[in-house]
Amino acid sequence: MATIWSIIAFWILPIPLVLFTLLTLPLPRNMRRGLLIFTQRVFDVPVVGAFKLLHVMLWLTAVAFLGSARQAHMIKTAGQEAVWTTPNMEISHLSKRWRSERNLWMTAFAFCAWVFLAALYREASRRLDLEARLSEMERSDFTATETREPSVSREVTSKAAAAAAASRDRTPTAGSPNKTAATAAHPAAAELVGSAAGGSSPPGGIQMQELKKTA
């Protein structure tokens, strides 16, 4: 019995405490990843068939906790019904009760340590994976922004050139189609313009007749 409790005290209990302390330290990402890999290898050590070290430790600590709880209850019940004839008998009973309660709390702490270590390992692995994914997303967004800026500038330049061309098309010139259409619709006006440009003016009567015909 003493060998079992020595194994629990010197081997089963210190392992989760050391790993728990290392996983909670504020270390760089690479070191944390290395600690997680080491912890996973400790958990995955094969012991009996398909059972790994984590499964065996949880089972051993749970069984030890239940056994120590049963023993502590039996010793406490026996002390309540006993009648002590000498002080040494009472001291012996109290020492047994103290050892059983100590073993109870030690096994409970060992079981909780392994459970908490497994939970911390899972959450630390999840957090590290999320941090890696977030850093990859940030790098991809930065690259996409750099590649999108030249295309945006080219698009703005092409739009400005198209707007300038459209404004030039809308501006009337000396030989624009609007002016040609106006002179074609009014031949008399065209004749007047041509005569004015040539420096000669037609007679007033002929000019009035042509204007009436046109009207």
Side-chain angles (χ1 to χ4, degrees):
M1 192 68 179
T3 305
I4 296 176
W5 293 115
S6 62
I7 291 174
I8 293 175
F10 294 107
W11 293 99
I12 296 178
L13 190 57
I15 292 175
L17 293 179
V18 172
L19 294 177
F20 193 90
T21 304
L22 292 176
L23 290 177
T24 53
L25 292 177
L27 299 175
R29 184 180 300 176
N30 295 331
M31 296 184 66
R32 284 185 294 162
R33 187 179 295 276
L35 288 174
L36 288 175
I37 294 173
F38 176 74
T39 306
Q40 183 179 5
R41 290 182 178 179
V42 171
F43 286 165
D44 295 340
V45 172
V47 179
V48 179
F51 293 98
K52 299 178 181 180
L53 182 63
L54 178 62
H55 305 150
V56 174
M57 290 301 174
L58 291 175
W59 182 78
L60 285 177
T61 52
V63 171
F65 172 73
L66 294 176
S68 59
R70 179 176 176 274
Q71 184 180 7
H73 178 71
M74 291 175 61
I75 293 175
K76 183 178 180 180
T77 304
Q80 292 177 354
E81 298 176 356
V83 178
W84 316 114
T85 57
T86 60
N88 293 332
M89 295 178 62
E90 185 177 3
I91 292 173
S92 176
H93 171 76
L94 292 177
S95 62
K96 291 180 181 179
R97 181 178 176 180
W98 180 82
R99 283 194 299 269
S100 64
E101 292 178 354
R102 179 204 61 186
N103 296 335
L104 173 65
W105 290 111
M106 187 170 62
T107 52
F109 184 72
F111 178 76
C112 293
W114 280 99
V115 172
F116 292 158
L117 178 62
L120 178 64
Y121 167 76
R122 183 180 60 184
E123 293 299 325
S125 301
R126 182 181 177 184
R127 178 180 178 181
L128 196 63
D129 293 338
L130 291 176
E131 288 179 355
R133 291 175 58 185
L134 181 60
S135 61
E136 290 178 0
M137 291 175 62
E138 290 178 352
R139 286 196 298 268
S140 62
D141 291 342
F142 180 73
T143 306
T145 304
E146 286 185 344
T147 55
R148 189 166 57 248
E149 286 179 355
S151 62
V152 171
S153 61
R154 288 195 299 269
E155 184 179 357
V156 171
T157 305
S158 61
K159 287 183 178 180
S167 63
R168 285 197 302 270
D169 293 340
R170 287 194 299 269
T171 304
T173 57
S176 62
N178 295 329
K179 186 175 181 181
T180 305
T183 55
H186 299 281
E191 185 178 355
L192 289 174
V193 172
S195 62
S200 61
S201 60
I206 297 173
Q207 184 178 3
M208 292 298 295
Q209 290 177 3
E210 290 181 356
L211 288 175
K212 288 180 180 180
K213 289 179 181 180
T214 304

